[in-house]
Amino acid sequence: MSSAASSPSAAAPSLPGDPPGGRRAVFVWGVGVSVYFVAIIFRTSLGVAGLDAADRFHVNASALSTFSILQLLVYAGMQIPVGLMVDRLGTKKVLTLGAVLFTLGQLGFAFSPSYGTALLSRALLGCGDAMTFISVLRLGTRWFPARRGPFVGQMAGLVGMAGNLVSTLVIARLLHGVGWTAAFAGSALAGVFVLVVMLVFLKDHPEGHEPPPLPASHRGVAYVRGQIAETWREPGSRLGMWVHFTTQFPAMVFLLLWGMPFLVEAQGLSRGTAGEIMTLVVLSNIAVGLVYGQVIARHHAARVPLVLGTVLVTALMWGLTLSWPGAHTPMPVLLALAVVLGACGPASMVGFDFARPANPPARQGTASGIVNMGGFTASMTALFAVGVLLDLTGDNYRVAFCVIFVLQALGVSQILRLRARTVRRERERHVASHVKTVHVPV
């Protein structure tokens, strides 16, 4: 029996120094999550505008994929620096900088006259986007008790992913209603709005729960290197990264760029129907996330089985979709694929549940950065490979999407390698924490 209460990695009980939570915490956390929500809208807006971007800038599949690759390259490369920034500067400063950058990036994309300036705009957007999720995770640990950490993290991911609905339902319609410039410039106003709200209402922590100031010895380059090295040495950090790597990218590749072209060009669907299928991915993400969150809260031993099960079902559905005889895959199969892809996001959040107990509070931002880097590195690799293969094969999506299986195989091999080591370390920490709390009468 492996309930949350009996698992060595179960959520910790509330401690005397824990934040109180409550309505005030929910409000402040909600302000921070709204910034992440808008960042997701901007990040995924290209997913519904891929065909329009190809026509606007007169580029092929490889050049089109470069938009998302560069954006994710910047995002992934920023994860560890952002984690260190959040640990040092706090949430509000980092989120403010992020909101300014991703709003400028979205606005620049709206008015870009050429492919080169559009690339720079997406890079700027990726830099700002990189500062949001880790900041929101840190905000949750500062405002809610430790025992609520896994649930708060899952909810942040679900609320943020809902930004995909705005992309598929609103941005897509705006593009075909008011045009490219008005659609992207108008959406940039959402960034200005959340920036103002955040500056007025967001606070890093509740009163009386200020973190202790960093000693001088914790501010040098050597200390930063030590933070990164110590975090990486924890098998839980590495396992979390590979879980994120293996589970997130199939849905990201679909939603971020190649889903719409695949459904329209390869499957012969209208843009409206393709948008509805992409919306189903997001709705499935939200529903599955609620289920996964409850299961993991009660049974921490279910983490790896849920991850591996999600990877297996995703591989099977992609295999069925790509190998179906005939020109087009039947609609029921495409709908089932969309539902399964919705499980990828919640499964990737499990990676943070491995890294969180493996690292002390002072390294939580750094650990989250390492985990988050995994999925976006895989997504960037897959986006590039699909684009190259499409150009080499004359837009053969069946061949191009086979890169998914290669990356999944790599990730699963690493998960299996690190699984036992992580569980052993969790048990050691669990035993050590119980030893420290035993008081022997004299």
Side-chain angles (χ1 to χ4, degrees):
M1 185 174 182
S2 55
S3 66
S6 61
S7 169
S9 58
S14 295
L15 301 173
D18 263 358
R23 293 182 180 179
R24 174 66 173 166
V26 172
F27 173 76
V28 174
W29 175 81
V31 171
V33 170
S34 70
V35 180
Y36 176 56
F37 176 81
V38 173
I40 290 290
I41 296 174
F42 292 179
R43 180 200 300 172
T44 58
S45 58
L46 183 61
V48 297
L51 298 175
D52 301 85
D55 292 337
R56 179 179 176 87
F57 300 112
H58 309 290
V59 295
N60 59 14
S62 295
L64 180 61
S65 66
T66 304
F67 279 123
S68 295
I69 292 167
L70 179 60
Q71 180 180 335
L72 293 184
L73 177 64
V74 173
Y75 187 105
M78 287 288 293
Q79 287 309 292
I80 293 178
V82 168
L84 293 167
M85 288 171 62
V86 172
D87 286 339
R88 287 171 167 271
L89 303 178
T91 297
K92 187 169 185 176
K93 292 180 180 178
V94 178
L95 266 184
T96 299
L97 179 58
V100 170
L101 292 177
F102 68 59
T103 301
L104 290 176
Q106 186 79 341
L107 194 61
F109 198 57
F111 294 100
S112 292
S114 65
Y115 177 68
T117 55
L119 277 178
L120 292 176
S121 296
R122 295 307 287 186
L124 190 64
L125 192 157
C127 185
D129 182 18
M131 299 181 180
T132 57
F133 187 62
I134 295 177
S135 297
V136 170
L137 289 179
R138 177 58 175 258
L139 192 68
T141 63
R142 290 299 186 190
W143 279 90
F144 292 95
R147 60 186 174 82
R148 306 295 294 173
F151 177 76
V152 171
Q154 284 282 351
M155 289 303 299
L158 293 179
V159 173
M161 280 302 298
N164 277 286
L165 290 175
V166 178
S167 294
T168 56
L169 297 177
V170 179
I171 301 294
R173 293 184 180 181
L174 285 175
L175 277 169
H176 301 108
V178 299
W180 178 282
T181 301
F184 280 99
S187 66
L189 294 176
V192 177
F193 175 76
V194 295
L195 176 62
V196 172
V197 172
M198 178 180 57
L199 290 174
V200 174
F201 295 108
L202 189 70
K203 291 186 177 181
D204 284 342
H205 45 73
E207 294 182 6
H209 292 270
E210 296 83 358
L214 286 175
S217 61
H218 288 194
R219 298 175 185 175
V221 175
Y223 176 75
V224 171
R225 291 176 179 172
Q227 283 280 91
I228 297 173
E230 290 174 10
T231 305
W232 181 255
R233 275 196 292 267
E234 287 291 342
S237 300
R238 300 198 302 277
L239 177 60
M241 186 195 72
W242 282 108
V243 166
H244 205 262
F245 177 101
T246 312
T247 53
Q248 189 202 47
F249 80 90
M252 285 289 290
V253 168
F254 194 82
L255 291 171
L256 203 58
L257 183 61
W258 292 122
M260 182 70 75
F262 168 71
L263 295 172
V264 174
E265 295 180 347
Q267 299 300 321
L269 303 179
S270 67
R271 291 195 181 195
T273 302
E276 291 172 357
I277 291 178
M278 295 178 72
T279 301
L280 179 60
V281 177
V282 180
L283 294 175
S284 172
N285 184 295
I286 296 172
V288 174
L290 293 173
V291 175
Y292 277 23
Q294 292 298 322
V295 171
I296 293 171
R298 290 176 170 82
H299 306 284
H300 270 56
R303 291 174 298 175
V304 171
L306 276 179
V307 167
L308 295 179
T310 302
V311 174
L312 176 61
V313 175
T314 303
L316 290 175
M317 282 309 307
W318 267 118
L320 180 63
T321 300
L322 299 177
S323 63
W324 195 273
H328 298 150
T329 305
M331 180 60 70
V333 177
L334 294 177
L335 294 176
L337 173 66
V339 172
V340 170
L341 288 177
C344 292
S348 71
M349 292 296 296
V350 178
F352 296 98
D353 288 331
F354 285 110
R356 186 184 299 110
N359 293 276
R363 296 207 308 261
Q364 287 298 313
T366 306
S368 297
I370 288 175
V371 173
N372 214 23
M373 187 172 61
F376 288 93
T377 301
S379 298
M380 176 180 61
T381 303
L383 284 167
F384 176 74
V386 169
V388 170
L389 289 172
L390 285 174
D391 285 338
L392 291 176
T393 61
D395 291 339
N396 188 329
Y397 283 89
R398 296 192 178 194
V399 174
F401 276 120
C402 285
V403 70
I404 291 174
F405 307 123
V406 177
L407 293 176
Q408 284 182 323
L410 172 62
V412 168
S413 67
Q414 296 300 315
I415 291 171
L416 295 176
R417 182 177 69 86
L418 291 165
R419 176 185 182 182
R421 197 179 309 174
T422 300
V423 172
R424 186 164 58 249
R425 287 295 294 271
E426 287 182 345
R427 288 174 178 169
E428 291 172 357
R429 282 192 298 270
H430 182 64
V431 171
S433 64
H434 275 63
V435 170
K436 289 180 181 179
T437 56
V438 172
H439 298 281
V440 180
V442 295

